[in-house]
């Protein structure tokens, strides 16, 4: 049986319990701040894990470039470091969506927090009188600048790995014995 939606039935009707979900504007602000803190911690953990993996890959790359075996060293130093650089590029490209997702969620909660602080007269007064809150803390530029390291890191490593792969191939092909 199909149901016809008429103008009388709304897709989202606010019930009295929805209005009091948070209780007070301070409860809502606390909730937004906890969400921001959680997502920022998640982004920080992702960034730390990513940088750790990349640092181990750089060490392995450098070690493989130092191979001096006379029989298979030239082929090894051409193939293995190049494959590691390709792995570095792919891991960077796969890390980017996770970083971007955290950034979008943090941006969303900052928007909600900013809207609350500007729209609710009670929160607005507390916002203006309290030294704990200031415009720099809740402005878009402030938190976005603090997230730029995590947002740029994968792209910087993509460039880094591409340059290392090019260098590796160039060095091995120009120094190969005829």
């Amino acid at each position: 049986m199909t149901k016809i939606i008429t103008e009388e039935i709304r897709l989202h009707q606010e019930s009295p319990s929805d209005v009091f979900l948070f209780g007070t504007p301070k409860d809502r602000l606390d909730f937004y701040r906890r969400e921001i803190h959680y997502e920022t911690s998640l982004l920080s953990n992702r960034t730390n894990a990513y940088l750790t993996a990349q640092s181990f890959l750089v060490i392995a790359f450098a070690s493989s470039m130092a191979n001096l075996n006379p029989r298979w060293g030239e082929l090894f130093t051409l193939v293995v470091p190049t494959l590691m650089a390709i792995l570095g590029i792919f891991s960077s490209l796969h890390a980017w969506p996770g970083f971007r997702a955290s950034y979008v969620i943090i941006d969303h909660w900052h928007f909600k927090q900013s809207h609350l602080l500007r729209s609710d007269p009670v929160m607005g007064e507390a916002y203006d009188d309290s030294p704990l809150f200031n415009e720099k803390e809740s402005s878009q530029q402030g938190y976005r600048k603090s997230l730029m390291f995590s947002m740029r890191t994968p792209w910087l490593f993509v460039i880094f790995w591409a340059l290392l792969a090019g260098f590796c191939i160039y060095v091995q092909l120009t120094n190969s014995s005829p």
Side-chain angles (χ1 to χ4, degrees):
M1 173 185 216
T2 60
K3 191 173 190 178
I4 298 174
I5 299 176
T6 63
E7 290 182 24
E8 295 177 343
I9 301 173
R10 295 183 191 168
L11 293 176
H12 176 69
Q13 295 177 345
E14 288 189 10
S15 67
S17 64
D18 289 341
V19 175
F20 296 108
L21 179 65
F22 291 106
T24 66
K26 175 151 180 8
D27 293 338
R28 182 173 290 190
L29 180 64
D30 290 342
F31 174 77
Y32 293 159
R33 289 188 173 251
R34 279 192 307 272
E35 290 299 312
I36 291 168
H37 178 73
Y38 172 76
E39 287 298 329
T40 304
S41 296
L42 187 62
L43 179 60
S44 175
N45 291 339
R46 284 179 179 158
T47 304
N48 288 336
Y50 171 76
L51 289 174
T52 301
Q54 292 296 311
S55 66
F56 281 113
L57 199 53
V58 169
I59 292 168
F61 176 89
S63 297
S64 65
M65 283 295 290
N67 186 343
L68 298 175
N69 187 310
R71 285 185 27 184
W72 47 271
E74 285 185 22
L75 181 63
F76 181 85
T77 55
L78 174 63
V79 174
V80 174
T82 304
L83 290 176
M84 287 186 189
I86 292 169
L87 177 64
I89 290 170
F90 280 125
S91 67
S92 295
L93 293 175
H94 280 76
W96 168 248
F99 291 139
R100 180 71 183 150
S102 288
Y103 178 83
V104 168
I105 293 169
I106 292 168
D107 192 41
H108 168 77
W109 290 117
H110 269 282
F111 172 78
K112 299 281 278 182
Q113 172 184 284
S114 175
H115 182 69
L116 174 66
L117 293 173
R118 284 186 174 76
S119 68
D120 193 309
V122 174
M123 290 304 294
E125 291 173 13
Y127 176 74
D128 292 335
D129 295 335
S130 177
L132 294 176
F133 302 117
N134 61 34
E135 187 61 31
K136 288 181 184 176
E137 182 181 299
S138 64
S139 72
Q140 283 187 341
Q141 282 185 337
Y143 75 89
R144 285 184 175 172
K145 284 182 182 178
S146 69
L147 299 175
M148 289 314 326
F149 176 77
S150 293
M151 298 306 295
R152 291 180 181 158
T153 300
W155 297 110
L156 292 173
F157 269 102
V158 164
I159 293 167
F160 172 75
W161 285 117
L163 291 174
L164 279 181
F167 173 75
C168 172
I169 293 169
Y170 172 77
V171 166
Q172 293 304 319
L173 294 180
T174 58
N175 290 336
S176 63
S177 303

